[in-house]
Amino acid sequence: MIPAVRILARPTVRPLVRAASVAALLALAAAPARSFCGFYVAKADTKLFNRASKVVLVRHDDKTVLTMASDFEGDPKEFAVVIPSPTFLEEDQIHVTEMKYLDHLDAYTAPRLVEYFDEDPCAIRRMEKRMPATAELSAAASAPARDEATGVTIEATYAVGEYDIVILSAEQSDGLERWLRDNGYRIPDGASRVLESYIKQNVRFFVAKVNLARHEASGAAYLRPIQIAFESPKFVLPIRLGTVNAKEPQELFVMALTRTGRIEPTNYRTVKLPTDAEIPPYVKEEFPAFYRAMFDRLVEREDMRAVFLEYAWDMNWCDPCAADPLTHDELRELGVFWLEGGEDGVVPAPGRPARMIAPQPAAEVFVTRLHLRYTGETFPEDLIFMETGDRTNFQGRFVLRHPYKGPISCPEAKSYVAGLPARQEREVQTLANLTGWDVNEIRRKAGLREGAPGPTPAVRGAAGDKWYHRLWNRDR
Amino acid sequence: MLSLAAVRRFVADPRHYQIGALAGLNLYAFAFLDFGARPAPLAAILVASLATQWAAGRIVGAGPFEPRSALISAFGLSMLLRTNSLALAAATAFVSVGSKFAIRVRGKHLFNPTNFGIVLMTSLFDGVWISPGQWGSAAFFGFLVVAAGGLVVTRAARSDITIAFLAFHAAILFGRSWWLNEPLAIPLHRIQNGAILIFAFHMISDPRTTPWSRSGRLLFALLVALGGGFVSFVLYRPNGVLYALVLVSLLTPLIDRLLPGPAHRWMPPPGEPPAPPESAPLERVPPGPSPGLAPVAARVPAVRIPGSGKVFAS
């Protein structure tokens, strides 16, 4: 952008070159995904939100792999999960995985903050940064038994990792609810009506409890994510059970890995996150608060009835990268079953330095990150998804532009310096619109943190100020 | 040129109202909906629709160029079809309008053009799809007002099928939720789907591809609602009613034979000779005025057909 300004300023430049540079600038502006998208600074991952459920949903050809992470923080004795499952599950269809795979995908897809440092308008200079890398692995399994109980049929019991898992089918919701309570699964009151609608659809129940002995033996500090793989035409994420008796809105992140393109819910509206918003540089210190405030405002605007798209991207590359792309092994661990691995695929070399492109054979994987806040009232139905053919890349990206602070030594710089206050005011307004924060408070923080906005006192009070801002010796 | 009578005739033509309503909805989608309609695909669809209508009309010798049905198809397509490829958008428009000329049974085209184009192309290509959720439920009531108002203003003759379809569809949704003992909020939420309204008011209401008789149309609406329910709740696929409409359209000739009725036509204003019925099963409608025409004239608004001879309008 600054080099283009330079070219246009030279008096001898030919009209064709000028037109070409303008065209190039427009092309860059039109396809920001393909250009350099700023230095990665920070991300808004799921840890920002309390009691957020994280789900990875892999889907292709009626086959689904669902990975569920709970952020359960209480006594493991109290933990119980009841999930309606469209099919019976064999033991091989159940797996316990490590949180780090979800964390990696979470980090990779999180909305990101990037910063640009304005170059000296009189010269060219470049800056580089690097992002570190990570990776690892693990697994476990065990043997079954069989039982019968009135009204409730125990179709299978498994011990997988630190969990005792039971696959149930039921004839009556009362019976099921009683059985669950008798066996130490605490389900909320009023769940029986929800269970009834599932029972009538011939759905099985996947029920998991923590086996305390195995949990202590494993030495894990947290409850690991559970995965189930099954085949069903239903592409549904059941959320109704979670909303029974929930007093507060729940937060849910769905990260979907598909082969063809982006997924979206068919029964709720999808709204894109505001992106490419330029905000004042001081937000770098307050990015988590900013993101939470912005999301709160979005949810309020949509009356808590929309699902928000935070990221939709081809998994082979990223720009900027909030984390390294996932390796084939990590993707397979998360359930991407159509990827080559082992003998047929190429095993990636460890310690890759790549920042933007994964140096392994192209994986046909597209990731969609959806974020929603819901209550039983605003989201009465389970989420029903569909896969579209849309492979357009989208990312939640927020931009900081640091003004150039060095000495100004050429006449072209005057227009740059004169334009700064207007730009900074626009950033302040953008932030106020996104978060609902008080505009004056923002201006105050932006002014204080930034110090003098330019090398010349003439910058203060330049175009963009209202006439009355210069009255009464206001401290700006 | 702009006499009051001419303006009144223009406004009274349900096709003009429909074009206006669909164009307005497209504008709404551009402005307010993420993942809504976009101007560039709309432009491609408009050009391809009009070009196909013109070219195909020439090939079959259909008389003067009649753009209105092509415009309706184009705006409807733009509202429902999602794609990132202008080529696929244009191809869908070509297939839609082309089907009107290519797929005919006993002089009447079989499929609603937009419906056929969407179902065929989304089945064949990943690069085109439908977003049933994009309209949300907030737009629902606004759209309902506009659509219902349209019915009142133009006294369109085919409102019975729209109302019948919505009634059957609601009955299926509420009935299923009642059987599953789901809370009322669920079927209420499902019925507030803008895509269903568009389908009911602009697709299944097509008078040229639905049965001639009222009882035939009610049967048709019931079959489409049942088919849609089957696809949604048994096959678990989205956009069930679109597939159902294509399949049930295959039965229209049979329904017309079993439950005969007067052909739909765009009636001329009083005092002018009636235009010959287009693509009507001639053995059913006797030539010249007949008692069967009078009740239809009372319901169908007066529209002038330029020239004589066959006009392939929808």
Side-chain angles (χ1 to χ4, degrees), chain B residues 129-140:
Chain B
W129 65 93
I130 307 276
S131 268
Q134 72 183 67
W135 297 90
S137 47
F140 175 84

Side-chain angles (χ1 to χ4, degrees), chain A residues 364-385:
Chain A
E364 240 186 293
V365 184
F366 195 88
V367 61
T368 312
R369 178 186 172 109
L370 300 171
H371 181 187
L372 61 143
R373 189 172 292 170
Y374 63 102
T375 62
E377 188 205 317
T378 57
F379 277 78
E381 280 193 83
D382 290 335
L383 295 167
I384 304 175
F385 292 108

Side-chain angles (χ1 to χ4, degrees), chain A residues 315-362:
Chain A
M315 284 292 281
N316 282 304
W317 63 289
C318 45
D319 182 14
C321 291
D324 271 338
L326 275 72
T327 63
H328 280 204
D329 284 341
E330 287 176 303
L331 288 172
R332 286 179 69 84
E333 179 72 15
L334 286 171
V336 180
F337 53 87
W338 60 90
L339 270 190
E340 307 282 296
E343 327 86 46
D344 286 328
V346 172
V347 178
R352 308 161 281 106
R355 185 166 74 98
M356 274 161 57
I357 298 187
Q360 46 196 342

Side-chain angles (χ1 to χ4, degrees), chain A residues 62 193 196-197 200-201 234 240 260 262 264 266-272 380-381 386 388-390 392, chain B residues 33-35 84 126 129-134 136 176 179-183 185-186 189-190 235-237:
Chain A
D62 281 4
R193 189 172 181 195
E196 183 181 352
S197 69
K200 285 199 165 134
Q201 295 176 69
K234 291 187 192 179
R240 286 179 61 209
T260 308
R262 176 180 57 83
E264 63 179 46
T266 63
N267 48 359
Y268 296 98
R269 199 155 78 90
T270 310
V271 174
K272 284 185 186 159
E381 280 193 83
M386 62 176 252
T388 68
D390 189 5
T392 318
Chain B
L33 298 181
D34 287 340
F35 308 110
N84 293 317
D126 284 332
W129 65 93
I130 307 276
S131 268
Q134 72 183 67
R176 181 171 193 265
W179 169 60
L180 292 177
N181 200 10
E182 287 175 340
I186 288 186
H189 182 257
R190 285 191 180 140
L235 301 181
Y236 300 107
R237 301 287 173 215

Side-chain angles (χ1 to χ4, degrees), chain A residues 24 34 38 53 64 73 172 186 255 303 318 346 371 390 418 448:
Chain A
R34 301 251 163 229
S53 309
T64 307
E73 277 163 9
Q172 283 178 314
R186 299 172 73 205
M255 288 164 279
D303 206 24
C318 45
V346 172
H371 181 187
D390 189 5
L448 275 176

